[in-house]
Amino acid sequence: MPSASVEVMAIVNITPDSFFSSSRNTAYRDVVARVDQAVREGADILDLGGYSSRPGADDIDIEEEWRRVKIGLEAVKAMKEGVVVSIDTFRAAIVERAVAEYGDVIVNDISAGELDEAEHRGDQLRDDGGQRCASHPHAEGEDEEGIQHQIQHR
């Protein structure tokens, strides 16, 4: 029988408006503290998110999302070598930048690639090891206000 291993993923929200208010981090020092805490508590994977999909959250542009995610990547690099990084985004451009900045990452896409054509095709994933976690999107008008009304009507 094959053996199974369990890996723990910690969420690092780099947003001012995430679902869980205690998880909101915007300043570099707060992100570093969260990354350090997660690693000390046994996280194998750090899931960095710079875009809140919470109903009513602000729709931000790619540059603002990247600014936030980059803070998380810098915090991870400063804290520990070899930590596996997951990028929580539906935008291929964010993944492309994260791969260029950090190397191979896991893509955690709440839209399962449906909100960005390049993300759907997986263009930004390296042929030698990019991984994806594709969450099932809610149907229009369901919970979480239809993934924030399909992220502001893309």
Side-chain angles (χ1 to χ4, degrees), residues 64-76:
E64 177 59 16
E65 183 179 0
W66 174 244
R67 185 191 69 74
R68 294 173 182 182
V69 169
K70 188 171 181 178
I71 290 170
L73 289 171
E74 290 170 355
V76 170

Side-chain angles (χ1 to χ4, degrees), residues 7-14 25 30-50 69 71-89 98 102 104-108:
E7 294 185 77
V8 175
M9 178 186 280
I11 296 169
V12 181
N13 290 317
I14 311 151
N25 301 290
D30 296 334
V31 176
V32 168
R34 174 66 185 124
V35 166
D36 181 58
Q37 174 191 16
V39 170
R40 278 187 292 104
E41 291 176 351
D44 302 298
I45 303 167
L46 298 174
D47 186 50
L48 308 177
V69 169
I71 290 170
L73 289 171
E74 290 170 355
V76 170
K77 283 191 220 178
M79 296 305 297
K80 184 174 179 180
E81 292 287 324
V83 172
V84 176
V85 170
S86 170
I87 303 296
D88 181 355
T89 187
Y102 191 80
D104 286 336
V105 297
I106 297 169
V107 180
N108 179 8

Side-chain angles (χ1 to χ4, degrees), residues 6 12 14-15 18 23-24 27 34 37 42 57 81 84 90 95 97 99 106 112 119 122 128 140 144-146 151:
V6 175
V12 181
I14 311 151
T15 60
S18 295
S23 73
R24 298 173 185 167
R34 174 66 185 124
Q37 174 191 16
E81 292 287 324
V84 176
F90 60 88
V95 177
R97 292 177 186 186
V99 168
I106 297 169
E119 174 71 16
D128 62 348
E140 188 82 28
E144 298 171 27
E145 294 178 21
I151 309 293

Side-chain angles (χ1 to χ4, degrees), residues 102-134:
Y102 191 80
D104 286 336
V105 297
I106 297 169
V107 180
N108 179 8
D109 180 356
I110 63 165
S111 80
E114 293 183 7
L115 293 175
D116 184 329
E117 183 60 31
E119 174 71 16
H120 181 70
R121 290 190 316 264
D123 293 348
Q124 76 291 348
L125 295 177
R126 291 183 173 179
D127 291 334
D128 62 348
Q131 299 177 37
R132 170 176 285 135
C133 172

Side-chain angles (χ1 to χ4, degrees), residues 19 51-60 65 88-91 108-116 119 133-154:
F19 283 99
Y51 189 106
S52 178
S53 60
R54 178 186 58 77
D58 291 336
D59 183 27
I60 60 169
E65 183 179 0
D88 181 355
T89 187
F90 60 88
R91 293 172 164 155
N108 179 8
D109 180 356
I110 63 165
S111 80
E114 293 183 7
L115 293 175
D116 184 329
E119 174 71 16
C133 172
S135 302
H136 186 276
H138 295 284
E140 188 82 28
E142 286 187 1
D143 293 343
E144 298 171 27
E145 294 178 21
I147 304 182
Q148 203 185 47
H149 193 68
Q150 296 303 312
I151 309 293
Q152 308 302 329
H153 319 289
R154 284 274 174 270

